[in-house]
Amino acid sequence: MELTVYLRDVMVLPTEHSREGNLRLRAASDHVLNTLRHYLPKKYDFNGMWRLVIYLGPNTDGKRFWSPEATGGVGEFLADSFDLDGWFDAPQDKQDVRILQCVEDALVERAVEFGTDAEPLRTAVQSVRDAGYRLDTELPCSRTHPSRKFRVRLIRRFAPGGTFVIVRVTTPKGEVLHEEELLAGAWVVTVGDDYRGGRWNGDALEILDVSGRMTTTVSCTPYLSV
């Protein structure tokens, strides 16, 4: 039985590769792309592709862009009219709008080419706009204290500069007792690996990584008297 491959990932890369350029582009655009990945339809057959890589800028070396069969379900798209230097010089809000529009154009163009329904992709893109190009989601390592007096919420935030983790302690009524940033400007995969589970050890919440090892501890003694 052949396994259906669904679209899972969209990436942007500069056509002129350099480590500095790639990191600069990631820092300015990852929050938009990560938010879009969150909203992509869960089962969308994009002609057998699981990832679309969008190259930004002119094709200076004559490379052919588009060979999904030869790249294991990874498709490529060349946005050769994208002014990457001008984009870098623009304010963040303009960057967000422009990069998302470029991604939507690439997705819809490929959907039309494949004869697939582009509407779920447009809906996902619109969800990013509706969210303000930012996204907070509660991580599965969040836990309610056994006393039921409070909950320790670990929040993953997609924002300019990368992925952030915020700890927020709230009462059952939603009142915030404490909030602080635990991690800033990280890669989304790092957060996914390092903030996978949680367990109580007395009045401390231990955060566990994908291998079950403790990565950080949140002391909660002050909140037992609320």
Side-chain angles (χ1 to χ4, degrees):
M1 181 177 178
E2 185 176 350
L3 181 66
T4 302
V5 177
Y6 297 116
L7 179 65
R8 288 287 179 266
D9 192 20
V10 180
M11 293 178 60
V12 293
L13 291 172
T15 54
E16 297 182 356
H17 287 293
S18 72
R19 176 176 172 79
E20 181 182 354
N22 288 347
L23 291 177
R24 188 182 179 194
L25 179 58
R26 173 186 289 179
S29 67
D30 257 13
H31 61 288
V32 177
L33 274 294
N34 284 329
T35 303
L36 176 62
R37 293 180 186 111
H38 175 82
Y39 287 115
L40 283 175
K42 302 306 179 188
K43 292 186 176 182
Y44 185 81
D45 187 352
F46 203 37
N47 199 39
M49 277 198 311
W50 70 274
R51 170 184 286 169
L52 178 65
V53 181
I54 303 167
Y55 289 93
L56 308 176
N59 185 357
T60 57
D61 59 6
K63 178 183 176 181
R64 291 186 60 195
F65 294 89
W66 183 237
S67 54
E69 297 83 2
T71 54
V74 178
E76 297 176 328
F77 183 91
L78 175 61
D80 54 359
S81 64
F82 193 93
D83 178 9
L84 191 55
D85 289 334
W87 182 81
F88 277 129
D89 291 337
Q92 185 68 61
D93 59 337
K94 302 296 184 185
Q95 288 182 347
D96 293 347
V97 171
R98 179 71 184 92
I99 199 72
L100 185 63
Q101 186 61 59
C102 176
V103 171
E104 181 178 24
D105 291 345
L107 288 169
V108 171
E109 184 172 324
R110 286 301 180 208
V112 171
E113 178 184 337
F114 299 150
T116 58
D117 183 8
E119 196 55 34
L121 302 176
R122 290 193 179 99
T123 298
V125 170
Q126 187 57 47
S127 295
V128 179
R129 295 190 180 105
D130 293 344
Y133 303 88
R134 312 286 189 273
L135 186 67
D136 284 5
T137 55
E138 186 170 326
L139 291 166
C141 53
S142 301
R143 292 290 186 275
T144 298
H145 190 264
S147 69
R148 317 303 293 180
K149 289 186 175 182
F150 59 87
R151 180 171 176 81
V152 180
R153 302 179 186 274
L154 279 296
I155 308 298
R156 182 187 63 188
R157 174 171 295 167
F158 297 144
T163 303
F164 300 75
V165 176
I166 293 93
V167 59
R168 183 181 299 150
V169 183
T170 62
T171 68
K173 294 182 178 180
E175 299 168 309
V176 178
L177 302 174
H178 177 73
E179 181 170 313
E180 67 176 292
E181 188 176 80
L182 294 182
L183 189 66
W187 189 28
V188 63
V189 174
T190 301
V191 173
D193 286 347
D194 289 354
Y195 292 79
R196 184 62 64 90
R199 68 187 176 201
W200 288 104
N201 184 359
D203 294 329
L205 178 61
E206 296 177 345
I207 308 302
L208 311 176
D209 68 8
V210 67
S211 300
R213 296 171 297 195
M214 186 176 67
T215 58
T216 189
T217 301
V218 180
S219 178
C220 298
T221 302
Y223 317 119
L224 288 173
S225 59
V226 297

